[in-house]
Amino acid sequence: FSNLQNLNTEIPKKNKVKKKSQDKEAKKEFSIKDIPAPHVIKSKLDQYVIGQEQAKKVIAVAVYNHYKRAFCQTSGQEGAEDDVQIEKSNILMIGPTGSGKTYLVKTLANLLNVPLAIADATSLTEAGYIGDDIESVVSKLLTASGNDVEKAEHGIIFIDEIDKIARKKETNTRDVSGESVQQELLKLLEGSTVEVPVGAGQKNALTPTTTVNTENILFICGGAFPDLETIIRERLQKKSSMGFGAVLKDDAEQERQILSKVTTEDLRKFGMIPEFLGRLPVTVTLEKLNEELLMRILREPRNAILRQYEKLLSMDEVKLEFEEDALRWIAEEALRRDTGARALRAILEEFMLDIMYEIPKDPGIGTVVVTRSYLEKKGGPLIQMRG
């Protein structure tokens, strides 16, 4: 028989994670001069993300203000003179697939010291159903900040694929991953104290929990919003009129960057509830990539796709080059596929397969030049031997 006196220690209790004590480590003095200015944040993003100037500017300012809000609270300056409380401005990012929404935030996560978590809205369900609870979004941020509650309460959460929780139209079944998820997200976006499981996505009796206040967590929501362009065009065409200086129907149909004309009315028609949109006051749209931007994406970023292939072949001591016409053909083909910058890698993987397979066979090859005729399947790449 086990000792009954020790029985209490064997029963798992609902543990609470304690906030890290400030006495253990003397924190470095954080001054307002250490906060990176918006132009500094944007210049860092410029090294990795091509185009999308407005989106980068909006995110840079939002993050800068987020740092200042965190500084005011940690330094105890807030409310010292005029009792002005700085509130956060959550952001809604709208852009076609492959325009760089997720990549922009992932790059931001690598550049900044502030804890940042990237969550996915597709797996979120209403409480009580199989799937991720709303609290799992905050749980990811807590993990990213090393289970430090104070650090997590000044972090940034990016919720991707936010358009997938739009209200489902013409359905007789219970919508457990649509409008109900939007309603549950309201308390997180506005700011509330939630009980979060530590180190796990699901709550249960054995998982330790902690309370996190989301009032100072910056939320960035992003989504492709397919068919939103059609809703905007319908609205613009209703306003079309006759006579001199009138807005013509053709203008709405031929508008390339039509997403920039989006309003909350269009998003409500798409299936987002007005209370949800009210908690995302800043709306930024990302432009659709054109041929010139796609060519720049191939070459210019620090992690450009061409540089990745050049590095791979340099390990075999082979130099890889691309003709200008070949790059233009790749950009044209990517536009036809209509999946944004993602199409560039798909095209290059397809055509580089034979090159990557054949080159290790012959150690005498020194340079490989990819030509337009090779991409059009009318010839082969130019190969120069060593010496």
Side-chain angles (χ1 to χ4, degrees):
F1 293 101
S2 61
N3 190 352
L4 294 176
Q5 291 179 350
N6 297 330
L7 191 61
N8 291 332
T9 59
E10 294 173 10
I11 297 173
K13 292 183 178 179
K14 199 173 187 183
N15 299 320
K16 295 275 180 182
V17 174
K18 295 178 182 177
K19 293 189 178 183
K20 290 188 178 179
S21 59
Q22 295 180 354
D23 302 331
K24 289 183 181 177
E25 293 179 10
K27 288 188 178 178
K28 187 186 171 185
E29 284 291 324
F30 183 66
S31 68
I32 201 155
K33 292 178 182 177
D34 298 328
I35 302 172
H39 70 276
V40 175
I41 297 170
K42 186 182 174 295
S43 65
K44 287 180 178 178
L45 289 172
D46 285 339
Q47 296 174 14
Y48 296 91
V49 183
I50 300 299
Q52 314 301 0
E53 298 301 316
Q54 183 65 19
K56 286 189 284 193
K57 196 182 289 184
V58 169
I59 286 174
V61 170
V63 171
Y64 180 60
N65 290 339
H66 184 69
Y67 264 116
K68 286 197 285 190
R69 191 186 315 113
F71 168 75
C72 283
Q73 292 194 339
T74 52
S75 62
Q77 285 190 1
E78 190 171 342
E81 296 177 4
D82 50 6
D83 293 330
V84 175
Q85 190 171 0
I86 305 170
E87 292 189 358
K88 65 177 186 288
S89 296
N90 298 322
I91 304 169
L92 176 63
M93 290 171 68
I94 302 170
T97 180
S99 57
K101 299 181 295 295
T102 311
Y103 187 64
L104 202 59
V105 179
K106 279 184 178 176
T107 307
L108 195 69
N110 294 330
L111 296 175
L112 300 177
N113 293 325
V114 64
L116 189 146
I118 298 175
D120 197 355
T122 49
S123 60
L124 297 177
T125 54
E126 192 180 343
Y129 288 85
I130 293 173
D132 288 341
D133 291 337
I134 305 300
E135 287 80 9
S136 68
V137 172
V138 186
S139 182
K140 286 181 180 177
L141 181 64
L142 192 62
T143 307
S145 56
N147 291 338
D148 186 344
V149 177
E150 286 183 10
K151 201 174 176 186
E153 285 178 349
H154 296 100
I156 301 172
I157 292 177
F158 176 62
I159 306 177
D160 205 0
E161 309 294 350
I162 202 73
D163 53 310
K164 305 303 183 288
I165 59 167
R167 186 190 293 128
K168 305 290 186 292
K169 294 166 188 172
E170 298 174 6
T171 178
N172 297 324
T173 57
R174 186 170 175 81
D175 188 12
V176 298
S177 61
E179 187 181 347
S180 55
V181 177
Q182 289 186 57
Q183 289 166 351
E184 289 193 20
L185 274 171
L186 297 179
K187 61 174 184 176
L188 285 189
L189 296 173
E190 185 71 32
S192 65
T193 304
V194 290
E195 200 168 287
V196 178
V198 179
Q202 297 287 341
K203 285 184 188 175
N204 56 55
L206 301 176
T207 309
T209 60
T210 184
T211 53
V212 178
N213 187 358
T214 65
E215 197 171 332
N216 294 306
I217 296 173
L218 177 69
F219 286 88
I220 303 172
C221 300
F225 290 87
D227 301 327
L228 184 62
E229 293 183 0
T230 311
I231 295 168
I232 299 168
R233 281 197 178 93
E234 284 175 5
R235 176 175 58 81
L236 292 173
Q237 284 175 0
K238 280 180 187 174
K239 293 180 180 177
S240 61
S241 54
M242 297 174 65
F244 295 106
V247 179
L248 303 176
K249 281 188 177 182
D250 290 345
D251 293 346
E253 286 173 5
Q254 292 172 5
E255 181 74 45
R256 273 186 57 81
Q257 309 298 346
I258 198 160
L259 279 177
S260 61
K261 300 183 186 297
V262 70
T263 61
T264 51
E265 179 195 336
D266 300 324
L267 291 165
R268 283 177 66 178
K269 208 169 181 181
F270 184 85
M272 311 306 286
I273 61 174
E275 305 97 295
F276 184 79
L277 295 171
R279 286 163 173 81
L280 295 164
V282 182
T283 303
V284 56
T285 56
L286 281 80
E287 60 189 80
K288 197 170 184 178
L289 299 173
N290 56 25
E291 190 179 304
E292 290 303 318
L293 281 173
L294 287 167
M295 285 184 70
R296 288 179 62 197
I297 288 167
L298 280 168
R299 287 180 295 198
E300 291 181 23
R302 187 172 284 187
N303 297 328
I305 309 167
L306 296 189
R307 291 187 188 180
Q308 293 176 31
Y309 280 107
E310 284 168 8
K311 189 172 182 180
L312 282 171
L313 283 174
S314 68
M315 292 177 186
D316 293 324
E317 297 180 354
V318 177
K319 190 180 178 185
L320 177 67
E321 293 177 1
F322 280 81
E323 286 186 349
E324 190 72 17
D325 277 351
L327 295 178
R328 192 165 293 280
W329 186 92
I330 293 167
E332 289 166 2
E333 180 64 21
L335 278 177
R336 280 193 288 273
R337 296 195 183 186
D338 202 26
T339 53
R342 287 191 182 94
L344 297 173
R345 179 166 286 282
I347 294 162
L348 278 166
E349 289 282 353
E350 184 184 328
F351 287 101
M352 290 298 293
L353 177 66
D354 288 335
I355 293 173
M356 305 292 274
Y357 182 80
E358 296 294 336
I359 277 173
K361 286 183 182 178
D362 190 349
I365 295 173
T367 308
V368 178
V369 183
V370 177
T371 60
R372 186 172 182 129
S373 60
Y374 168 63
L375 298 173
E376 290 173 344
K377 298 183 179 176
K378 294 177 182 175
L382 296 176
I383 292 174
Q384 296 174 8
M385 307 305 286
R386 299 183 196 281

